[in-house]
Amino acid sequence: MQVRLAVQVAAKVEGIRTALNYSKLSDTVNLLLDAIKYQWNLNLAYQPQTGTFQLKVRLDERHIQWVSQYATERGINATSATNLLISEYLSGNSVNFSPQPAATVATDSNPIPQASKPETDIEKPKGQTLIRSLKL
């Protein structure tokens, strides 16, 4: 999947790419998505921003499903979700995302019911509200 980074996000990622001496911006984006998914603290928030003409990056297969799921849960597209995830991570904000396991076929005729999480009254921002609140 190919996504287009926002100019501000691309500038931050380009600074990180240069500091890490990575050859491709896509490699840096995939590293950041790994860090977000596995909750690594890479301490990259204070890297210099540099300009880049390359705004389109390719997500690795390992990120496509969970980024798409994150986007769907928030009512935005995968490009916006990628920009949001990276921006929030580089700003030092924690990203609340718990990937749901892929659907499996039950082979037991008596499945064990899953405990449900209690619903909270706090709604997650969706779509344009989420994008407007994006801080870069």
Side-chain angles (χ1 to χ4, degrees):
M1 172 190 301
Q2 195 172 32
V3 296
R4 185 175 192 272
L5 296 179
V7 174
Q8 298 91 339
V9 173
K12 287 182 179 186
V13 175
E14 179 64 23
I16 294 167
R17 185 200 68 76
T18 303
L20 295 176
N21 201 25
Y22 275 34
S23 61
K24 297 179 186 174
L25 197 62
S26 292
D27 293 339
T28 309
V29 167
N30 286 301
L31 169 73
L32 292 172
L33 291 175
D34 281 332
I36 294 164
K37 184 176 181 180
Y38 299 112
Q39 300 175 355
W40 300 339
N41 185 5
L42 298 179
N43 294 323
L44 298 172
Y46 301 108
Q47 295 298 321
Q49 292 186 25
T50 60
T52 182
F53 295 108
Q54 177 64 23
L55 299 178
K56 290 185 179 178
V57 295
R58 184 165 301 282
L59 301 183
D60 281 346
E61 291 292 323
R62 68 182 183 270
H63 298 302
I64 293 172
Q65 182 180 0
W66 76 268
V67 169
S68 296
Q69 180 182 348
Y70 183 85
T72 302
E73 287 176 0
R74 281 147 187 82
I76 58 178
N77 62 32
T79 295
S80 297
T82 303
N83 283 299
L84 176 64
L85 285 163
I86 292 173
S87 176
E88 290 293 312
Y89 180 76
L90 294 178
S91 296
N93 297 332
S94 63
V95 177
N96 285 336
F97 177 69
S98 54
Q100 300 298 319
T104 57
V105 177
T107 55
D108 189 1
S109 61
N110 251 343
I112 300 171
Q114 299 292 324
S116 62
K117 281 199 284 185
E119 292 291 324
T120 60
D121 291 341
I122 301 171
E123 288 191 24
K124 295 178 187 174
K126 299 209 182 225
Q128 289 298 322
T129 305
L130 187 63
I131 298 302
R132 275 189 233 113
S133 67
L134 180 65
K135 296 177 186 170
L136 299 175

